[in-house]
Amino acid sequence: VSLLALVLVACGGSDDGDQNGENESASDGDGKTIRAGIGLNQDHPQYKGLLKFKEIVEEETDGEITVETYHSGQLGDDRSMTEALQLGNQEVTVPSTAPIANFVPEFSVFDIPFLFPSEDVADEVLQGEVAQGLLDKLEEEDLVGLAYWENGFRDLTNSERPVESIEDFEGLDIRTMENDLHLEAFKALGANPTPMAFTELFTAMQQGTVDGQENPYATIYLENFYEVQDYVSNTHHVYSPFVFLMGKQFYDGLTEEQQQIVSDAAKEAGQHQIKLNREANATYLENLQEEGMEYTEISDENRQEMVDAVQPVIEDFKDQIGPDVVDGIMEAVEKAQAE
Ligand code: TF8
């Protein structure tokens, strides 16, 4: 017998979960595996959050559920991984809300530029009724939204010039996420945007296909964007939430107890992820400068010009997003701000 055959036999025969398996449902005798994939790399808080999820789920289910984690787009980009969840080819991913809007358009409400003034307001709004209601809409798309995690406030980098005011956007080739509102907002600012999956971004910057991109400092630093980008500005133009997604077919196949465990774990791991993410975003601007990037601060006055320039885009997209959702989130922002 060849070594390979021995290995195959050993793997095929390792159903030892069955021996203690007086299970509630027929399907969980062999144990279940969650393939959890994300776009960012192993150093990013997004991945640390995923490891936390794995730890909690494997412990709480006594190993009935195993979580395999994949980073750096090993399983695909936000959009293709979300599709894989729908098809049952993958069980978990944690995309930004912007690409989720291709599945549930209401999620584009978070692409409204300058919507959240602070992380505190974001926390409050995302825990609120309207934002939680958006998670429920995912079920119609065979997805289950278990929790909001955090990507964070997005800041602009490029290889051409310091961006200090709206005039400096003129003609910059900027990669944007695959989201129409996001794209139109950059046009309104005067840039020349190209939507692209995150997995293609580094090469595009390296080869000069695009001049710049926008992401939180944690991503800019941990993905080594400073190697191919010279300038960074604190535009803070959008706060990107992440959503912890599970495929609905898979979720429905779990026992009630398991559903509770994965749901609680997604939330608890999210708290951990958000904490690490905030530490990272607060730290890494300094590291970027140490790596040689030139930092430009946007004055309140100059930022207001950007806010004004994107207003027509928000109006144009209001119907598409859903006027109730837009108004609901904006009211929640005002309420949170007043507190
Ligand atoms: C983007 C997003 C991404 C994340 C991640 C790859 O720029 O900010 O960094 O959604 O999953 O595409």
Side-chain angles (χ1 to χ4, degrees), residues 99-220:
I100 298 178
N102 295 303
F103 301 86
V104 176
E106 286 89 341
F107 273 95
S108 225
V109 70
F110 301 117
D111 298 301
I112 293 178
F114 308 104
L115 177 68
F116 291 151
S118 68
E119 287 163 348
D120 284 348
V121 169
D123 284 345
E124 180 110 10
V125 175
L126 291 171
Q127 291 314 313
E129 208 178 307
V130 185
Q132 293 295 315
L134 290 183
L135 296 180
D136 298 339
K137 289 190 191 289
L138 288 160
E139 297 217 7
E140 292 158 26
E141 288 294 318
D142 285 328
L143 301 164
V144 181
L146 292 179
Y148 283 102
W149 286 18
E150 177 180 274
N151 191 351
F153 281 103
R154 308 180 74 88
D155 294 299
L156 184 76
T157 69
N158 81 96
S159 55
E160 288 294 304
R161 54 177 173 262
V163 172
E164 189 174 14
S165 68
I166 189 160
E167 287 80 40
D168 301 318
F169 279 89
E170 194 59 45
L172 276 185
D173 292 322
I174 302 292
R175 172 270 179 177
T176 65
M177 291 185 287
E178 296 173 287
N179 174 286
D180 292 340
L181 171 42
H182 198 61
L183 183 74
E184 292 305 323
F186 274 88
K187 284 189 192 157
L189 290 169
N192 184 17
T194 314
M196 190 185 289
F198 184 83
T199 41
E200 294 165 42
L201 175 56
F202 190 89
T203 312
M205 291 189 291
Q206 196 169 36
Q207 297 181 342
T209 318
V210 296
D211 301 319
Q213 66 84 46
E214 39 77 61
N215 255 297
Y217 298 137
T219 297
I220 300 169

Side-chain angles (χ1 to χ4, degrees), residues 85-103:
L85 258 54
Q86 292 178 307
L87 297 170
N89 295 333
Q90 183 181 330
E91 288 70 38
V92 162
T93 189
V94 193
S96 295
T97 47
I100 298 178
N102 295 303
F103 301 86

